[in-house]
Amino acid sequence: GSTSQLEPAGLAEHHASDTATLQVLHGHLRIRLNDRVVELAAGQLLPLERGLPHDVEAIAESAFVLVLARSAA
């Protein structure tokens, strides 16, 4: 996995290349998905399906871990 830190800002819409889980370490994130908006605080998790378009907005200074689950070929 990888750890990312965001000051109040965000990541533009992109697609998960693999199945992923996002865990907020501290702060507050807003994730926009196709059909809903999810707000996550420290300690919360959000699973993301492969290919799912989403964007990430840091509502406050935040850090999160993104764990990718690659399937065996």
Side-chain angles (χ1 to χ4, degrees), residues 15-69:
H15 294 64
S17 59
D18 294 292
T19 300
T21 300
L22 186 149
Q23 179 180 12
V24 180
L25 300 177
H26 73 83
H28 190 156
L29 298 178
R30 181 177 293 135
I31 316 300
R32 287 182 185 83
L33 306 169
N34 283 336
D35 59 347
R36 63 192 166 129
V37 175
V38 178
E39 293 197 9
L40 300 174
Q44 293 185 302
L45 301 168
L46 178 67
L48 298 169
E49 294 180 23
R50 181 179 185 197
L52 179 69
H54 61 281
D55 68 38
V56 180
E57 177 186 358
I59 298 169
E61 184 175 333
S62 302
F64 64 92
V65 174
L66 182 66
V67 179
L68 300 175

